[in-house]
């Protein structure tokens, strides 16, 4: 605040540029030049009991103003009101109950408006309005004059005064006038307010509470009684408060009467906003970006400064006997582009300014008024502040810290988690005790001299420090601050060091405050009690939500599986990427990717470790879920905490997630093999958990798998084998040779079971595994004594089945298998026969069936199987049934039946001929035996009657072949006749193809089916459907372009 003029009976002033126009009660007009006082000459801090100076302190101080000119006979009476219309280059004055127009340069009287006799007040406005006809913008200035009940309007278009005036009569005398927009003006009356549209001359009543008037006023005032206007002010000389109004930002306006207030739009519509809590009715109100100002009665002499958003009282300034406010004209391009405002009493004029906006924010933060600081930042434009977004974020974090100190944990964490805040995890974790934050905690340390942020000074006293400041001589006040972490203090000092050059008005007064000190290492709670018990649980639950959100944010930058930074997506949002990245870190990271990655990993480790501690404190059952997903928890902290609480199952999950498999398996082995049920958790008893754990290990860890698989196999072989037999990718890709050797060392049966799984289920064709399985089968069969048991026979059947099926893929060594089988053991004869059959030694295999086993039916089955295999390459079924004939007897290869017959009739020594099976073979399969060689085997002493069945079968087979040949010949002849008949005579169906015997009639009227011209005597072609076309149109009729013989085949031509 600067005291400009003293000792003069002044009236409201007018300002143009750096010129100040002051109308005196003597009728004179003085013009002053306003000087800017250097910042180093500004006043010190204002105390509540300070008195404003009556005059400049000394001659050495630069004068705030210089008198340029005085117009003594400007008016014959006291000048009551001045206004400037710069666009029209005129000065408007209210004096002697008339409104007069003066030249702005010479201050000479141009015209006294006769219609304004008995004028109460006037108001001017200038706006840029588009012409409704041409659409060209033009400057329109308007003068509104209140004469009792009449509202009289003059207009200037592009500096030219229009001759026509507009008069509007209202129900009551007009007390105040305030322009709401270019075409609407608010008229204040004793009964209330009306908004008048000067273009349509329509007046609309504004409905408001209490003394504001209107229908809502009957509902009662702010205090629940009748409206203050209805009181009548008995005993106060029928005093009626003036209706006040002022224009705010963003098209809002404020109406005030008595202690009631109402926020409206520029259209006169009420807004849903609470009233200003004035203790006393103001004498004048105004708006200086971005604050609401209220001047109390001269007896009070107090200027109140309020936040238009929160309506809180920010500052009270003592101005003795002040009763008038003057603001710059509302025609400036920006809301903040004014040069302050002026306050006047009968003899003094003060110029009011404001501190730099950054400084105002800092002062509010230092006093712990975080809501006010946030509100101020939201109201101010970005250009007026240094790094507005970051400052707003920082203040919200400080507010959340204050709420946390007040034990409002959920509210604090909600702020930390807001999208535009996303507080660094380290700063939030520091607020918690060591049981959650570990070594990062600062809550237990205290400083006896630190004053907490709760000791806020109360606003409302004269001279209380605030954004509006006095300007007087004195020493500059030192910057002060409240206890904050060092990083915050440094940030605020940086903002305080350099003031913004975009501030609209400057202040020359600082705020009082305590000593500033760096208290980053200490925090004091409001009630000085430790965070413990239920409060700690509540705080931990709130922290869980924050840390989970932080983990999700971390996933955008860090791969949880590899611990490497993810590549940036080139989506054009680099600014958002950098902001989100920086929000995770307390200290900024360098541009080096390595430094960024290290800092991110450290932050991820802090987040996950703290989340683990919080879970263990508040919800231990959730710790296991954290370990089952990739995490960055500190292994030492987790191991110590889980062992301390006996949560071994979660510890195993954690070790698995961190790939610390050996400690996990050792822990599982320790508890799985333990016999003490009381000591061992129920979930860790037995080999079940160890088997499940080993199943999830990759094949690369085969050494570890085999090391810890032994004890489950010995404890429960069936369950233990699931490690190698499970239907999983890990089990199927294990090194099979090592697994087989390992199982063979434990139990051969386990090796057999694994080899069967590998060969039968996984279809492994490796000959080594097949040979090893055969060897394992034979070794077990030879070693067992219970050869008559079902188990032994079942194992032998598995061996024979495997020998049979494995031969189909040629996956084992026949010679090695034959060498392993005992030659003289009757129990292995069938196995020998199978191997000999696979080797192609059919005669030796049949010898086993005939002479050793004496099982003639199996010998016959063997021949049937071999015969079917050999006959699979026969060309026709007739040949397969034809058997052997006399023509090819000499060249025929002896069949498998002939080999069996020879063993029956001419057996080697010392065996004797066996006639019954031989005759049975001849009767069943005689047609498949060559006649000459078969008869040569039959001795001459055998009666022919014994060979009846053989000869009958041979004759029937020969007759069948002849008859079948005759039938086939007859069918083929019939097919030829049918084809020839169809070619010559057609198929005989009416309207269809008639073959070569068909006829078509071509008359003179018949036209071509393609070009639709008459055929006449030209060459034509007949299509298969008896259609007729020109020979030249034949290709088009067929839809293709055949040539030569193809066209002749497609149709006949004549």
């Amino acid at each position: 605040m600067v005291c400009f003029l003293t000792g003069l009976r002044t009236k409201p002033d007018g300002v143009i540029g750096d010129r100040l126009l002051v109308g005196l009660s003597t009728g004179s007009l003085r013009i002053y030049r306003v000087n800017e006082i250097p910042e180093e000459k500004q006043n010190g801090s204002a105390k509540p009991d300070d008195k404003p100076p009556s005059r400049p302190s000394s001659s050495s101080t630069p004068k705030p103003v210089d008198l340029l000119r005085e117009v003594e006979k400007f008016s014959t009476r006291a000048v009551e009101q001045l206004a400037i219309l710069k666009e029209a280059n005129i000065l408007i004055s209210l004096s002697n109950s008339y409104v007069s127009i003066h030249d702005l340069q010479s201050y000479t009287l141009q015209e006294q408006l006769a219609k304004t006799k008995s004028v109460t007040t006037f108001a001017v406005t200038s706006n840029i309005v588009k012409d409704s006809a041409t659409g060209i913008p033009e400057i329109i200035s308007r003068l509104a004059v209140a004469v009792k009940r009449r509202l009289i309007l003059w207009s200037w278009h592009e500096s030219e005064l229009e001759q026509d005036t507009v008069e509007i009569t209202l129900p009551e005398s007009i007390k105040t006038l305030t322009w709401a927009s270019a075409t609407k003006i608010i008229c204040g009356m004793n009964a209330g307010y009306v908004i008048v549209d000067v273009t349509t001359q329509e007046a609309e009543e504004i409905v408001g509470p209490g003394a504001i008037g209107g229908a809502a006023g009957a509902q009662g005032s702010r205090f629940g009684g009748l409206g203050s206007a209805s009181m009548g002010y008995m005993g106060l000389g029928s005093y009626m408060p003036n209706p006040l109004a002022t224009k705010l930002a963003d098209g809002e306006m404020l109406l005030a009467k008595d202690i009631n207030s109402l926020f409206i739009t520029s259209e006169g519509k009420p807004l849903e906003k609470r009233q200003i809590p004035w203790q006393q009715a103001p004498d004048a109100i105004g708006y200086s970006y971005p604050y609401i100002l209220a001047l109390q009665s001269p007896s009070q002499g107090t200027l109140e400064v309020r936040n238009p958003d929160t309506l809180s009282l920010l500052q009270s300034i003592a101005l003795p006997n002040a009763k008038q406010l003057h603001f710059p004209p509302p025609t400036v391009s920006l809301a903040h582009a004014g040069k302050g405002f002026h306050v006047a009493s009968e003899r003094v004029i003060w110029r009011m300014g404001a501190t730099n906006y950054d400084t105002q924010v800092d002062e509010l933060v230092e006093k712990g008024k975080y809501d006010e600081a946030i509100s101020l930042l939201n109201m101010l434009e970005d250009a007026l502040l240094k790094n507005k977004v970051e400052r707003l974020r920082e203040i919200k974090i400080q507010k959340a810290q204050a709420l946390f100190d007040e034990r409002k944990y959920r509210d604090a964490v909600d702020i930390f988690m807001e999208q535009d805040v996303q507080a660094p995890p380290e700063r939030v974790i520091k607020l918690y005790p060591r049981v959650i934050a570990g070594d990062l905690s600062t809550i237990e340390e205290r400083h006896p001299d630190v004053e907490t942020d709760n000791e806020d000074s109360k606003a409302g006293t004269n001279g209380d420090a605030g954004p509006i400041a006095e300007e007087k001589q004195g020493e500059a006040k030192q910057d002060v601050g409240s206890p904050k972490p060092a990083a915050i203090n440094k940030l605020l000092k940086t903002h305080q060091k350099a003031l913004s050059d975009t501030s609209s008005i400057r202040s020359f007064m600082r705020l009082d405050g305590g000593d500033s000190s760096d208290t980053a290492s200490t925090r004091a709670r409001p009630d000085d009690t430790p965070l413990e018990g239920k409060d700690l649980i509540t705080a931990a639950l709130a922290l869980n939500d924050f840390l989970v959100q932080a983990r999700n944010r971390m996933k955008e930058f860090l791969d949880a599986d590899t611990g490497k930074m993810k590549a940036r997506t080139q989506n054009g949002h680099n600014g958002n990427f950098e902001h989100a990245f920086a929000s995770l870190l307390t200290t900024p990271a360098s541009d080096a990717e390595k430094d960024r990655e290290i800092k991110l990993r450290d932050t991820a480790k802090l987040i996950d470790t703290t989340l683990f501690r919080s879970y263990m404190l508040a919800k231990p059952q959730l710790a296991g879920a954290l370990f089952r997903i990739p995490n960055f928890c500190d292994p030492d902290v987790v191991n110590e905490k889980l062992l301390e609480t006996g949560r071994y199952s979660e510890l195993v999950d954690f070790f698995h997630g961190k790939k610390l498999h050996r400690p996990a398996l050792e822990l599982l082995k320790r508890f799985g093999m333990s016999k003490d049920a009381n000591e061992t958790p129920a979930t860790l008893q037995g080999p079940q958990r160890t088997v499940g754990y080993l199943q999830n290990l990759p094949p690369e860890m085969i050494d570890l798998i085999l090391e810890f698989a032994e004890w489950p196999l010995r404890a429960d072989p069936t369950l233990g084998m699931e490690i190698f037999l499970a239907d999983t990718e890990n089990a199927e890709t294990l090194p099979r040779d090592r697994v087989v050797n390992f199982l063979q060392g434990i139990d051969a049966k386990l090796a057999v079971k694994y080899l069967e799984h590998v060969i039968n289920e996984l279809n492994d064709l490796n000959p080594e595994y097949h040979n090893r399985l055969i060897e394992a089968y034979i070794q077990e069969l030879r070693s067992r004594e219970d050869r008559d048991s079902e188990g032994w026979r079942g194992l032998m059947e598995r061996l024979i089945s495997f020998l049979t099926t494995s031969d189909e893929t040629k996956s084992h060594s026949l010679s090695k298998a034959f060498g392993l089988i005992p030659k003289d053991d009757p129990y292995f004869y069938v196995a020998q026969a199978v191997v000999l059959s696979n080797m192609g030694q059919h005669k030796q295999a049949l010898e086993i069936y005939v002479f050793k086993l004496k099982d003639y039916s199996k010998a016959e089955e063997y021949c049937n199987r071999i015969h079917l295999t050999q006959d699979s390459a026969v060309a026709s079924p007739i040949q397969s049934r034809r058997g052997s004939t006399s023509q090819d007897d000499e060249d025929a290869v002896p069949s498998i039946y002939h080999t069996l017959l020879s063993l029956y009739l001419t057996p080697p020594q010392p065996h004797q001929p066996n006639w019954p099976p031989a005759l049975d073979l001849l009767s069943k399969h005689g047609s498949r035996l060559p006649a000459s060689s078969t008869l040569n085997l039959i001795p001459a002493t055998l009666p022919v009657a014994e060979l009846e069945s053989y000869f009958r079968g041979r004759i029937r087979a020969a007759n069948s072949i002849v008859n079948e040949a005759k039938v086939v010949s007859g069918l083929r002849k019939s097919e030829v006749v049918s084809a020839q008949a169809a070619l010559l005579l057609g198929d005989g169906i009416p309207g269809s193809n008639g073959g070569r015997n068909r006829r078509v009639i071509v008359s003179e009227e018949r036209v071509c089916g393609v070009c639709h011209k008459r055929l006449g005597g030209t060459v034509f072609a007949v299509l298969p459907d008896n259609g007729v076309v020109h020979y030249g149109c034949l290709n088009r009729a067929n839809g293709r372009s055949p040539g030569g013989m193809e066209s002749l085949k497609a149709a006949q031509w004549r």
Side-chain angles (χ1 to χ4, degrees):
M1 177 184 71
V2 176
C3 177
F4 281 124
L5 302 171
T6 59
L8 298 175
R9 297 185 62 82
T10 61
K11 292 294 181 181
D13 53 348
V15 179
I16 175 171
D18 61 346
R19 300 294 189 265
L20 175 64
L21 281 63
V22 180
L24 305 182
S25 59
T26 60
S28 300
L29 176 68
R30 288 188 178 183
I31 300 93
Y32 294 90
R33 180 178 61 222
V34 180
N35 301 320
E36 291 292 336
I37 298 179
E39 188 172 349
E40 59 270 12
K41 299 296 183 179
Q42 294 174 6
N43 296 358
S45 59
K47 304 298 182 181
D49 56 352
D50 281 347
K51 301 297 183 181
S54 60
R55 56 178 56 86
S57 58
S58 67
S59 59
S60 62
T61 303
K63 293 182 179 181
V65 294
D66 292 324
L67 179 61
L68 299 181
R69 180 180 176 185
E70 181 175 358
V71 182
E72 294 185 353
K73 296 184 179 180
F74 182 77
S75 175
T76 58
R77 298 288 182 89
V79 179
E80 297 180 15
Q81 188 177 351
L82 292 174
I84 295 172
L85 282 180
K86 185 177 179 181
E87 294 75 14
N89 197 32
I90 60 174
L91 172 65
I92 301 174
S93 67
L94 170 57
S95 179
N96 197 21
S97 299
Y98 283 94
V99 173
S100 303
I101 300 177
H102 307 263
D103 183 79
L104 188 57
Q105 303 300 326
S106 62
Y107 307 109
T108 58
L109 179 64
Q110 291 183 348
E111 181 182 0
Q112 187 179 65
L113 303 177
K115 293 184 178 181
T116 62
K117 184 179 181 180
S118 302
V119 60
T120 305
T121 183
F122 69 86
V124 298
T125 184
S126 294
N127 303 91
I128 299 177
V129 181
K130 285 187 178 181
D131 186 88
S132 58
T134 62
I136 299 175
E138 59 181 355
I139 299 177
I140 297 179
S141 303
R142 288 188 172 93
L143 167 64
V145 180
V147 181
K148 297 182 180 179
R149 294 171 53 195
R150 292 182 300 151
L151 177 64
I152 308 176
L153 297 160
W154 284 264
S155 299
W156 284 262
H157 287 256
E158 296 293 344
S159 305
E160 296 294 331
L161 176 62
E162 291 186 351
Q163 298 301 321
D164 297 334
T165 60
V166 177
E167 291 191 18
I168 302 172
T169 303
L170 299 180
E172 277 189 72
S173 297
I174 302 171
K175 300 296 183 181
T176 59
L177 293 175
T178 306
W179 284 99
S181 63
T183 59
K184 293 189 176 183
I185 188 170
I186 294 179
C187 303
M189 302 173 293
N190 288 335
Y193 295 85
V194 294
I195 183 168
V196 179
D197 190 328
V198 299
T199 56
T200 62
Q201 300 185 22
E202 294 180 355
E204 181 181 354
E205 184 179 7
I206 298 176
V207 177
I212 298 297
Q219 298 177 3
S221 68
R222 189 176 65 202
F223 301 104
L226 293 177
S228 57
S230 64
M231 292 182 181
Y233 290 90
M234 296 179 61
L236 297 179
S238 299
Y239 169 75
M240 182 68 68
N242 282 331
L244 307 177
T246 186
K247 190 173 184 179
L248 308 179
D250 300 326
E252 293 186 12
M253 296 198 69
L254 172 63
L255 308 181
K257 191 174 183 184
D258 193 21
I259 59 174
N260 295 288
S261 61
L262 177 66
F263 290 90
I264 62 172
T265 65
S266 58
E267 301 295 326
K269 304 301 181 184
L271 297 174
E272 293 293 334
K273 201 169 184 180
R274 65 187 181 92
Q275 297 191 46
I276 298 177
W278 281 314
Q279 299 298 323
Q280 296 180 347
D283 275 12
I285 60 173
Y287 177 77
S288 179
Y289 183 86
Y291 300 107
I292 294 176
L293 306 172
L295 186 62
Q296 298 296 336
S297 62
S299 60
Q300 292 283 338
T302 302
L303 179 66
E304 293 183 354
V305 183
R306 292 183 181 271
N307 185 326
D309 184 24
T310 64
L311 306 182
S312 301
L313 178 63
L314 300 179
Q315 187 179 6
S316 296
I317 302 175
L319 300 173
N321 301 319
K323 62 179 182 178
Q324 295 177 357
L325 296 175
H326 179 79
F327 297 90
T331 56
V332 292
S333 59
L334 297 177
H336 59 270
K339 297 297 182 181
F341 60 96
H342 297 83
V343 183
S345 67
E346 288 290 340
R347 306 184 64 83
V348 181
I349 297 178
W350 293 273
R351 185 183 68 169
M352 310 303 295
T355 58
N356 178 273
Y357 293 124
D358 290 306
T359 305
Q360 295 180 31
V361 174
D362 292 340
E363 291 171 348
L364 290 171
V365 171
E366 289 172 1
K367 300 183 68 172
K369 299 181 178 180
Y370 301 111
D371 288 330
E372 300 296 336
I374 294 171
S375 175
L376 179 59
L377 285 171
N378 288 328
M379 288 189 297
L380 294 174
E381 299 177 11
D382 293 352
L384 302 178
L385 297 164
K386 294 179 180 178
N387 201 354
K388 174 181 174 179
V389 175
E390 285 301 321
R391 295 205 65 190
L392 185 60
R393 174 174 179 258
E394 176 61 30
I395 293 174
K396 287 186 176 182
I397 292 176
Q398 294 185 44
K399 175 187 175 182
Q401 290 175 345
L403 290 173
F404 190 91
D405 291 340
E406 297 172 4
R407 300 185 182 273
K408 299 177 181 178
Y409 308 114
R410 173 52 60 186
D411 295 339
V413 171
D414 287 344
I415 295 177
F416 286 137
M417 294 172 59
E418 287 181 1
Q419 185 65 30
D420 58 343
V421 177
Q422 294 185 344
E426 182 177 342
R427 290 188 61 177
V428 179
I429 296 171
K430 281 182 178 180
L431 303 175
Y432 286 80
R434 294 180 64 86
V435 67
I436 291 180
D439 296 336
L440 194 64
S441 174
T442 59
I443 196 172
E444 294 181 353
E445 300 179 8
R446 293 176 175 81
H447 196 289
D449 297 333
V450 174
E451 295 181 0
T452 63
D453 292 343
N454 277 9
E455 297 173 358
D456 297 335
S457 58
K458 296 182 179 179
T461 59
N462 291 344
D464 189 14
I468 304 299
E470 296 186 9
E471 184 181 34
K472 64 181 182 179
Q473 292 182 343
E475 296 181 356
K477 177 174 168 277
Q478 296 181 352
D479 291 337
V480 296
S482 59
K484 303 177 184 69
I488 308 173
N489 229 8
K490 182 177 179 181
L491 176 64
L492 292 181
K493 289 179 180 178
T494 303
H495 287 302
Q496 292 170 356
K497 183 177 179 181
L499 298 178
S500 173
D501 294 334
T502 58
S503 175
S504 63
I505 48 181
R506 298 187 307 164
S507 169
F508 312 102
M509 186 182 78
R510 298 280 182 172
L511 296 178
D512 289 331
D515 280 343
S516 172
S517 61
D518 185 4
T519 58
S521 62
T522 62
R523 289 190 61 84
R525 308 195 63 77
D527 51 4
D528 200 27
T529 57
L531 181 58
E532 58 187 8
K534 292 184 178 179
D535 282 345
L536 181 57
I537 297 298
T538 303
L541 291 174
L543 178 64
N544 292 345
D545 296 339
F546 172 80
L547 294 176
V548 170
Q549 184 202 57
R551 290 190 87 254
N552 294 333
R553 287 191 284 145
M554 186 66 69
K555 292 178 183 177
E556 300 178 10
F557 310 100
L558 196 65
D559 191 331
D561 294 322
T562 63
K564 302 293 184 181
M565 276 193 65
K566 294 182 179 179
R568 300 189 194 180
T569 55
Q570 301 296 330
N571 54 7
H573 299 287
N574 290 334
N576 295 337
F577 179 91
E578 293 297 335
H579 173 74
F581 179 86
S583 69
L584 290 168
L585 307 178
T586 302
T587 57
S590 65
D591 293 334
E593 290 295 326
K594 184 176 181 180
D595 182 60
R596 285 169 169 254
E597 187 176 299
I598 292 174
K599 287 186 175 295
L600 275 179
R601 278 203 298 267
D602 292 342
T603 304
K605 182 177 180 181
L606 174 63
I607 292 172
D608 287 352
T609 304
T610 306
L611 182 59
F612 162 72
R613 288 194 181 108
S614 182
Y615 276 160
M616 291 301 296
L617 179 67
K619 289 187 175 181
Q621 64 273 19
L622 296 180
L626 176 64
F627 301 147
R628 297 186 190 101
I629 59 177
N631 61 82
F632 294 90
C633 292
D634 188 343
D636 296 335
V637 174
V638 175
N639 189 28
E640 177 184 358
K641 193 69 176 178
L642 292 179
L643 287 177
E644 176 186 341
T645 56
R647 305 186 72 86
Y648 304 110
S649 182
E650 287 83 354
L651 183 58
V652 172
D653 292 336
F654 172 72
F655 282 146
H656 182 269
K658 303 301 289 185
K659 294 181 173 56
L660 301 174
H661 303 301
R662 180 172 292 277
L665 290 169
E666 289 176 349
L667 187 65
L668 289 173
K669 182 178 179 181
R670 168 191 163 191
F671 289 111
M673 299 181 66
S674 176
K675 302 300 182 181
D676 189 355
N678 296 328
E679 178 186 355
T680 306
T683 56
L684 300 182
Q685 293 177 2
Q688 181 67 41
R689 283 293 299 272
T690 301
V691 171
Y693 194 101
L694 292 174
Q695 286 177 337
N696 292 322
L697 294 183
E700 295 79 14
M701 308 190 72
I702 183 62
D703 294 329
L704 192 65
I705 294 173
L706 297 181
E707 178 183 351
F708 287 93
E710 182 175 356
W711 81 266
L713 287 170
R714 296 190 184 279
D716 188 344
T718 304
L719 179 61
M721 282 302 295
E722 289 299 317
I723 301 173
F724 310 105
L725 304 182
D727 188 14
T728 61
E729 183 178 358
N730 289 340
E732 294 175 2
T733 54
L734 289 173
R736 295 170 183 173
D737 53 344
R738 296 194 59 183
V739 175
V740 172
N741 295 333
F742 168 74
L743 295 175
Q744 190 72 35
I746 297 177
D747 190 346
K749 295 181 180 179
L750 300 180
V752 170
K753 189 173 183 180
Y754 179 73
L755 287 171
E756 289 178 341
H757 172 75
V758 168
I759 295 172
N760 299 330
E761 300 295 335
L762 304 183
N763 196 27
D764 193 325
L765 302 180
N766 190 337
E768 180 184 357
Y769 299 145
H770 288 245
N771 292 332
R772 294 190 67 168
L773 180 57
I774 293 173
E775 182 180 358
Y777 278 146
I778 295 174
Q779 287 181 357
E780 185 177 356
L781 288 169
R782 296 181 64 176
S783 63
R784 294 179 60 172
E785 300 295 337
D786 55 339
R787 297 193 175 186
D788 295 330
S789 64
E790 292 293 335
W792 195 93
R793 285 197 293 269
L795 183 60
M796 176 58 73
E797 291 177 0
R798 285 158 56 191
L799 172 61
I800 295 173
S801 175
F802 178 73
L803 289 172
T804 305
T805 56
S806 181
D807 176 64
E808 297 175 1
T809 58
K810 307 298 182 185
S811 299
H812 66 274
S813 173
L814 296 174
S815 59
K816 185 175 181 179
F818 187 75
L820 293 173
I821 298 175
K823 304 297 185 298
D824 300 328
D825 193 336
Y827 291 95
F828 288 90
Y829 286 160
V830 177
Q832 289 183 41
V834 172
V835 174
L836 290 172
S837 176
N838 293 340
M839 297 172 67
Q841 303 294 330
H842 301 301
K843 184 175 181 180
Q844 288 82 346
L846 287 173
E847 287 179 351
I848 293 175
Y849 285 115
V850 174
F851 301 121
K852 292 184 178 181
L853 294 176
K854 299 184 183 300
D855 192 340
Y856 309 119
S857 61
K858 284 189 176 181
E860 184 179 354
E861 291 176 4
Y862 179 84
C863 291
N864 293 337
R865 185 172 68 252
I866 299 301
H867 177 74
L868 292 175
T869 304
Q870 292 175 348
D871 266 3
S872 60
V874 176
S876 69
I878 298 177
Q879 290 180 341
S880 65
R881 291 190 297 270
R882 187 172 296 172
S884 59
T885 60
S886 59
Q887 288 80 7
D888 50 22
D889 281 347
E890 297 178 358
D891 300 330
V893 178
S895 67
I896 188 65
Y897 296 103
H898 185 275
T899 303
L900 179 60
L901 181 64
S902 65
L903 290 177
Y904 285 148
L905 299 179
T906 57
Q909 294 297 330
H911 302 286
Q912 298 297 323
N914 194 345
W915 290 103
L919 295 175
D920 184 65
L921 181 66
L922 287 173
S923 64
K924 292 180 179 179
H925 305 285
S927 61
R928 297 172 180 172
L929 294 170
S932 59
S933 59
T934 302
L935 294 176
N936 290 335
L937 294 175
I938 299 174
T941 59
L942 183 69
V944 177
E946 297 291 338
L947 299 176
E948 179 184 0
S949 60
Y950 167 70
F951 288 117
R952 183 181 291 112
R954 291 286 301 179
I955 294 171
R956 286 178 178 176
N959 291 336
S960 297
I961 293 173
V962 173
N963 294 334
E964 184 177 354
K966 291 180 179 180
V967 171
V968 170
S969 176
L971 291 174
R972 288 179 176 175
K973 289 180 180 179
S974 176
E975 184 180 4
V976 170
V977 172
S978 298
Q980 290 177 347
L983 177 64
L984 297 175
L985 304 176
D987 51 16
I989 301 175
S992 62
N993 190 354
R996 291 182 178 178
N997 196 34
R998 58 180 174 161
R999 298 288 185 269
V1000 294
I1001 300 175
V1002 180
S1003 61
E1004 293 182 357
E1005 292 78 12
R1006 189 155 187 174
V1007 297
C1008 174
V1010 176
C1011 66
H1012 303 292
K1013 296 180 180 179
R1014 286 196 307 164
L1015 294 173
T1018 60
V1019 179
F1020 61 88
V1022 180
L1023 299 177
D1025 60 352
N1026 291 336
V1028 181
V1029 297
H1030 288 113
Y1031 183 73
C1033 299
L1034 180 60
N1035 293 341
R1036 294 166 60 188
N1038 293 334
R1040 55 189 181 92
S1041 300
M1045 293 301 295
E1046 292 183 1
S1047 62
L1048 295 177
K1049 294 177 182 178
Q1052 299 177 3
W1053 55 277
R1054 296 290 184 268

